[in-house]
Amino acid sequence: MIAQIQGKLVEKTPTDVVIDCAGVGYHISISLHTYSLLPATDNIKLYTHLQIKEDAHTLFGFAEKSERELFKMLLSVSGIGAGIARTMLSSLEPKQIISALANGNVATIQSIKGIGAKTAQRAILDLRDKVLKIYDSDEDSYGANNTNKDEALSALEVLGFNKKLAEKVVNAFAKSQPDATVETIIKHALKNLSS
């Protein structure tokens, strides 16, 4: 529902920030990773994830889209709630978590407070394929190209295309044309998915 917030930084601690956006102060929970990336300026932008529960609406903020996506992936694992996912992103760099999941490194995941052996194994089992598919374990696909690919996939889903079919077409095209813009990827996918 709320994808990002941009405004004036009013309060800042290692666990949360308050951003004034047109006179409304948004209290946003953050990880230490995001805290370390906050700019020195007053005007900031955070990518957000809104979690709605019976007793609370909690807004989580991330300096990078990739960290937000990893947070959402972690939430999909049984036994990992928002608190533990945020602790994971505060304890390790996102790249370290991705590497540990991709390589099946139970010890690294288990070293995080609140994660036992079973939860660490479940996280690896549930997320290994997703992490390998999205981040390809090489540094190049972690950045901007991945964002273009993600945006194109998201747009194709909104247009009603099957996610798995769209992923195949988009991934194949992104490998052959790594610098393609979002528009180019979508146009290519539309031609191939329509035929």
Side-chain angles (χ1 to χ4, degrees):
M1 185 177 162
I2 300 173
Q4 68 181 35
I5 290 187
Q6 185 168 347
K8 185 178 183 198
L9 183 63
V10 181
E11 291 177 32
K12 174 173 109 173
T13 70
T15 57
D16 46 44
V17 294
V18 174
I19 297 178
D20 181 320
C21 185
V24 177
Y26 290 92
H27 179 267
I28 304 169
S29 297
I30 60 171
S31 68
L32 282 175
H33 177 71
T34 290
Y35 179 77
S36 70
L37 295 175
L38 288 176
T41 62
D42 278 352
N43 195 27
I44 67 167
K45 173 170 131 181
L46 291 179
Y47 300 100
T48 58
H49 173 75
L50 177 64
Q51 184 181 52
I52 299 175
K53 289 185 167 183
E54 283 181 27
D55 59 344
H57 290 209
T58 310
L59 201 54
F60 293 91
F62 309 93
E64 305 164 321
K65 276 186 182 178
S66 55
E67 185 185 8
R68 178 181 64 185
E69 296 315 306
L70 180 57
F71 178 81
K72 289 195 235 177
M73 267 194 244
L74 292 169
L75 290 180
S76 72
V77 177
S78 176
I80 297 181
I84 291 178
R86 184 169 73 156
T87 300
M88 290 177 80
L89 291 165
S90 294
S91 304
L92 298 170
E93 293 281 317
K95 289 179 185 177
Q96 292 173 302
I97 296 171
I98 290 162
S99 174
L101 291 170
N103 298 319
N105 189 338
V106 176
T108 301
I109 302 295
Q110 198 178 337
S111 71
I112 298 162
K113 184 180 185 282
I115 302 237
K118 284 186 180 177
T119 304
Q121 290 166 348
R122 192 179 307 116
I124 289 167
L125 187 68
D126 290 358
L127 299 179
R128 176 184 246 161
D129 291 341
K130 288 181 186 176
V131 164
L132 288 171
K133 190 184 295 180
I134 293 173
Y135 299 106
D136 260 354
S137 282
D138 62 17
E139 297 299 311
D140 297 339
S141 64
Y142 189 78
N145 301 340
N146 189 40
T147 303
N148 288 352
K149 200 166 75 172
D150 287 347
E151 286 182 33
L153 276 172
S154 179
L156 291 166
E157 270 187 88
V158 169
L159 292 171
F161 288 97
N162 177 298
K163 186 176 182 176
K164 292 207 185 269
L165 292 174
E167 269 181 359
K168 281 183 184 176
V169 172
V170 169
N171 286 339
F173 185 69
K175 280 184 182 173
S176 67
Q177 304 256 342
D179 295 329
T181 63
V182 176
E183 293 81 10
T184 307
I185 296 170
I186 293 172
K187 285 177 185 173
H188 173 81
L190 287 173
K191 285 178 192 168
N192 286 295
L193 289 168
S194 301
S195 57

